[in-house]
Amino acid sequence: LIKLTDQQKEFQQLARRFAREEMIPVAAAYDRSGEYPVPIIKKAWELGLINSHIPQQYGGMGLSIFDACLITEELAYACTGMQTAIEANSLGQMPVILAGNEEQKKKYLGRMTEEPLMCAYCVTEPGAGSDVAGLKTRAEKVGDEYVVNGQKMWITNGGKANWYFLLARTNPDPKCSTSKAFTGFIVEADTPGIQIGRKEMNMGQKCSDTRGITFEDVRIPKENVLIGEGAGFKIAMGAFDNTRPPVAAGATGLAQRALDEATNYALERKTFGKVIAEHQAVSFLLAEMAMKVELARMGYQRSAWEVDQGRKNTYYASIAKAFAGDIANQVAADAVQIFGGNGFNSEYPVEKLMRDAKIYQIYEGTAQIQRLIIAREHLGRFKK
Amino acid sequence: MGVLITGTNTGSCERDSPGHVRYNSVSELKWRPLLLRIRVKPDNTGVVTDGVKHSMNPFCEIAVEEAVKLKEKKLVKEVVAVSCGPQQSQETIRTALAMGADRGIHVEVSGKDYETLGPLQVSKIMAALAKKEDAQLIILGKQAIDDDCNQTGQMTAALLDWPQGTFASEVTLDGDKIKVVREIDGGLETIKINTPAVLTADLRLNTPRYATLPNIMKAKKKKIANVKAADLGVNLTSRLEVLKVEDPPQRQAGMKVETVEDLVGKLKEAGKV
């Protein structure tokens, strides 16, 4: 299962080289300034490292989820802030790739491959994150248009997107089931009535652009509805089976970086007459970190492979994302520990990793939601 | 790694307009270790290369980039990438293909032969290939960063009796001549040489491009031919024997002195002055 083809190795090499030579040297500066890493994104776009999921007929690479994950892990190794900005493109595009009609795909995926544009997945609200069914943003059909009112929050690429995938409630009846009450739309970001909020200052992944977005009587043409009225919930959730493996890959990349930095340090720093790697307390820590990284990698590879084979991978995708998110936090914190006082300091690279890691237990489905999903899938299989 | 730029099978330079000649060129690619920590083998016969990640020599990358640029300017017809080494050398050829070379030639050399493969044998291979492929331009890296020999380009030119432009930091094709700006100890030297010729790339010649993802995919369709040194009539036997490889001596602790007189005194004591 885990033998890479020559082409996959080449993709991985390209991404690794780009990450180490272009991203790592500037990552700390972008973390301090919070500035959106436009030059990095542009260069990655030129090399074909972004928009890998877009099918070839719309100008994309049409890569498998597995291949995309290989690239994602390498970029995340360098900086998950930059990598999240890039990954948000995949998340925003996924509903269109899965559910768009020919015109929608040509129009909205095509433009992403013609110039380095960003898009965003616009679902979360101030009052509803995990509870997607609790979304309050309303879309009302008026003639040939839908008029949208509401507020979205924590939208990655919110201030940089050219278009959004938007999920809004089209059926106001509270008794209507979630599988029929919501509609997915493609919304041009310059549509009148869209107010983009300020850039949020977050704990980590600081160069990524996260914002609140207000919709005030925003008019969307009916041609921009994905599939049809009421089909939105399933589309929004279906995207995750394809995007959770790459997110798990990102967390794995961060964990691998933390492990490498800690190992390097442990082989140089001396205490009590020897390098600290020779003290069992430290070598055991490193061993456990290594275990977690290897298993997280196998987790995302399995979940990516499953969906590439055409099978429903929800169970594996949730496991991969939950596990990778959790271990990324543990490994990053352990890396800081191994660095000791230096680890707490911003001149050393590991405190950034610890701050960047936390969000992996929150976005793309919280650690708790993943457990709900895994339990449901597991018990469902058991009962069969 | 050199870039063999080759052209038609009839082999002569084509002129498609006054003063504009189309070339075929070849580059030789060296696959060498991506070094992290160098360790001498316990038997002192060399350094440990097993399990060490290898990649294309940086000067060879610059050579490939130059060849691809010449092709993009339509000054050469075809770029052929050549590498001599074990199976894994094919990876470096594929990288060159992804950067824009048209096809590759892998001269398979493995085992004992590979351990003793040196500039003389490689230059004999390059000379043979240049004749076989009817190349008019050979571009190599100035030296490999594992052995730092800096000999292959010069030897290849000598074997072919071709002019050479080594340590090139700027290359301009000018009709059937090549203007080369060379980096030398005293500064920069500009020479004009006839073709066919051998060039070796120095650091500032260009900045190698990344192979883009689409180009990596396109490169799969490009061909890599397999050739044996014997087929080219080249004897790989080395005339050199490595007697010993040692670590450099461990750095000794220094000594602080108070005055210049003390310093001179200590140097005299140690017999250094």
Side-chain angles (χ1 to χ4, degrees):
Chain A
L1 170 69
I2 325 281
K3 190 160 189 299
L4 298 183
T5 65
D6 284 333
Q7 185 173 268
Q8 285 171 330
K9 280 191 212 145
E10 282 179 66
F11 288 168
Q12 190 185 47
Q13 277 304 108
L14 171 63
R16 182 167 300 185
R17 202 172 145 188
F18 179 76
R20 315 262 166 134
E21 290 178 20
E22 305 283 333
M23 292 170 74
I24 289 187
V26 295
Y30 277 110
D31 179 60
R32 279 192 295 273
S33 71
E35 198 188 321
Y36 197 66
V38 173
I40 298 287
I41 293 178
K42 189 155 180 284
K43 193 107 198 253
W45 181 86
E46 282 165 15
L47 295 178
L49 293 170
I50 309 189
N51 302 330
S52 50
H53 302 286
I54 295 180
Q56 289 189 354
Q57 64 255 56
Y58 311 107
M61 296 293 298
L63 292 190
S64 63
I65 301 291
F66 189 96
D67 289 356
C69 284
L70 289 178
I71 295 171
T72 299
E73 188 192 331
E74 296 300 327
L75 300 183
Y77 183 98
C79 176
T80 48
M82 297 173 191
Q83 197 277 321
T84 289
I86 291 171
E87 198 61 43
N89 258 20
S90 301
L91 183 56
Q93 290 158 13
M94 203 51 76
V96 182
I97 294 173
L98 295 174
N101 62 35
E102 196 56 36
E103 289 78 49
Q104 291 164 336
K105 285 186 192 176
K106 248 197 243 158
K107 185 169 182 192
Y108 292 102
L109 299 178
R111 66 170 72 161
M112 307 298 284
T113 57
E114 277 160 29
E115 31 168 345
L117 298 174
M118 309 309 284
C119 65
Y121 182 91
C122 205
V123 171
T124 300
E125 296 182 358
S130 297
D131 187 11
V132 178
L135 290 189
K136 295 241 175 348
T137 301
R138 283 270 294 116
E140 224 181 291
K141 185 112 192 280
V142 176
D144 274 348
E145 290 176 324
Y146 285 84
V147 180
V148 179
N149 280 284
Q151 271 212 298
K152 297 294 183 184
M153 189 58 184
W154 309 125
I155 307 306
T156 305
N157 282 342
K160 307 289 170 188
N162 174 268
W163 55 265
Y164 306 113
F165 164 72
L166 172 74
L167 193 69
R169 192 174 185 112
T170 33
N171 191 320
D173 183 356
K175 292 207 202 74
C176 179
S177 77
T178 39
S179 58
K180 298 202 180 73
F182 299 92
T183 305
F185 300 90
I186 304 170
V187 187
E188 303 264 3
D190 58 5
T191 310
I194 295 181
Q195 285 153 51
I196 298 176
R198 62 156 194 229
K199 176 188 155 79
E200 295 294 333
M201 306 306 283
N202 293 326
M203 174 193 212
Q205 298 193 4
K206 283 169 178 277
C207 68
S208 175
D209 184 87
T210 322
R211 302 191 188 232
I213 302 182
T214 307
F215 290 79
E216 205 176 298
D217 290 331
V218 175
R219 296 174 175 276
I220 306 175
K222 67 177 197 310
E223 289 75 31
N224 281 22
V225 169
L226 283 165
I227 298 185
E229 207 178 295
F233 191 79
K234 202 159 168 223
I235 300 171
M237 297 298 108
F240 288 139
D241 286 344
N242 291 280
T243 55
R244 276 179 187 151
V247 172
T252 307
L254 184 154
Q256 180 71 62
R257 175 79 184 276
L259 173 59
D260 286 355
E261 295 287 352
T263 309
N264 237 353
Y265 186 84
L267 289 169
E268 284 172 4
R269 175 81 179 184
K270 275 190 157 158
T271 290
F272 300 110
K274 42 187 170 176
V275 293
I276 63 173
E278 287 178 29
H279 294 295
Q280 257 181 0
V282 173
S283 70
F284 276 23
L285 255 184
L286 289 169
E288 284 165 16
M289 289 159 78
M291 284 158 61
K292 290 167 182 171
V293 172
E294 293 297 331
L295 293 172
R297 182 167 297 123
M298 289 170 78
Y300 83 68
Q301 288 186 342
R302 174 70 185 272
S303 66
W305 181 73
E306 287 286 328
V307 74
D308 286 338
Q309 297 288 303
R311 292 191 282 270
K312 191 162 185 299
N313 71 333
T314 312
Y315 175 70
Y316 294 103
S318 271
I319 288 177
K321 198 272 177 182
F323 187 75
D326 288 351
I327 65 102
N329 277 274
Q330 293 160 18
V331 174
D334 286 343
V336 172
Q337 191 66 20
I338 288 175
F339 271 72
N342 289 334
F344 199 66
N345 178 268
S346 53
E347 300 272 312
Y348 293 81
V350 286
E351 59 82 27
K352 174 180 182 286
L353 299 177
M354 195 170 156
R355 286 185 287 107
D356 287 347
K358 188 58 193 160
I359 194 65
Y360 279 107
Q361 286 176 309
I362 300 172
Y363 67 19
E364 197 87 15
T366 60
Q368 289 67 33
I369 288 293
Q370 303 301 343
R371 282 158 171 79
L372 269 179
I373 297 172
I374 297 166
R376 183 191 70 210
E377 292 282 318
H378 169 69
L379 291 168
R381 292 167 168 217
F382 224 73
K383 284 176 190 160
K384 280 206 191 94
Chain B
M1 187 169 205
V3 173
L4 254 187
I5 312 177
T6 62
T8 64
N9 293 330
T10 57
S12 47
C13 283
E14 293 164 42
R15 288 172 193 275
D16 50 352
S17 66
H20 182 93
V21 183
R22 275 150 155 243
Y23 289 93
N24 302 327
S25 69
V26 172
S27 347
E28 216 289 302
L29 312 174
K30 182 140 189 213
W31 171 79
R32 20 118 340 254
L34 238 180
L35 254 329
L36 300 170
R37 239 162 263 231
I38 313 167
R39 286 174 298 138
V40 174
K41 282 198 232 174
D43 61 2
N44 287 106
T45 56
V47 296
V48 176
T49 56
D50 281 344
V52 177
K53 184 92 183 53
H54 285 57
S55 76
M56 196 192 301
N57 185 43
F59 295 110
C60 298
E61 262 186 306
I62 297 174
V64 176
E65 175 66 24
E66 196 62 21
V68 173
K69 279 167 80 164
L70 288 173
K71 191 178 121 174
E72 285 171 345
K73 289 190 203 148
K74 303 220 195 310
L75 296 171
V76 299
K77 268 189 79 176
E78 189 191 27
V79 176
V80 180
V82 175
S83 193
C84 306
Q87 254 312 95
Q88 298 94 304
S89 301
Q90 293 209 7
E91 279 171 35
T92 20
I93 300 179
R94 233 168 273 123
T95 306
L97 294 175
M99 283 169 75
D102 297 294
R103 58 186 168 91
I105 299 177
H106 176 214
V107 182
E108 183 144 7
V109 179
S110 40
K112 259 270 143 248
D113 282 336
Y114 185 62
E115 279 175 43
T116 55
L117 187 71
L120 183 57
Q121 296 95 321
V122 173
S123 47
K124 284 181 182 170
I125 292 172
M126 288 304 290
L129 277 174
K131 291 200 185 112
K132 183 163 179 272
E133 296 286 335
D134 197 42
Q136 275 104 62
L137 189 56
I138 299 181
I139 312 182
L140 301 94
K142 70 169 179 180
Q143 66 199 57
I145 69 174
D146 56 2
D147 54 24
D148 279 342
C149 282
N150 185 357
Q151 295 170 8
T152 308
Q154 293 87 334
M155 283 177 172
T156 308
L159 288 167
L160 289 166
D161 197 24
W162 286 7
Q164 54 185 262
T166 53
F167 309 106
S169 69
E170 205 181 301
V171 168
T172 321
L173 266 59
D174 186 10
D176 59 351
K177 300 208 194 298
I178 307 183
K179 188 178 95 171
V180 184
V181 177
R182 309 177 55 229
E183 294 198 12
I184 60 174
D185 287 343
L188 295 174
E189 179 193 53
T190 307
I191 60 172
K192 210 169 205 178
I193 56 177
N194 292 325
T195 54
V198 175
L199 302 174
T200 72
D202 209 326
L203 188 64
R204 281 158 279 270
L205 180 58
N206 59 49
T207 306
R209 67 194 63 191
Y210 289 103
T212 67
L213 225 76
N215 283 344
I216 291 175
M217 287 180 78
K218 284 190 202 133
K220 270 175 75 174
K221 303 198 186 91
K222 299 183 183 176
K223 293 202 169 27
I224 302 179
N226 260 305
V227 174
K228 290 211 174 43
D231 297 339
L232 298 169
V234 173
N235 184 341
L236 290 175
T237 325
S238 177
R239 295 181 199 169
L240 304 172
E241 187 195 330
V242 172
L243 296 177
K244 197 162 51 155
V245 174
E246 297 178 316
D247 278 307
Q250 285 276 31
R251 198 181 163 161
Q252 301 297 333
M255 224 190 306
K256 271 175 101 161
V257 293
E258 295 295 306
T259 67
V260 172
E261 286 78 26
D262 286 345
L263 174 62
V264 174
K266 290 260 185 257
L267 286 172
K268 280 189 174 153
E269 255 174 55
K272 303 283 183 191
V273 294

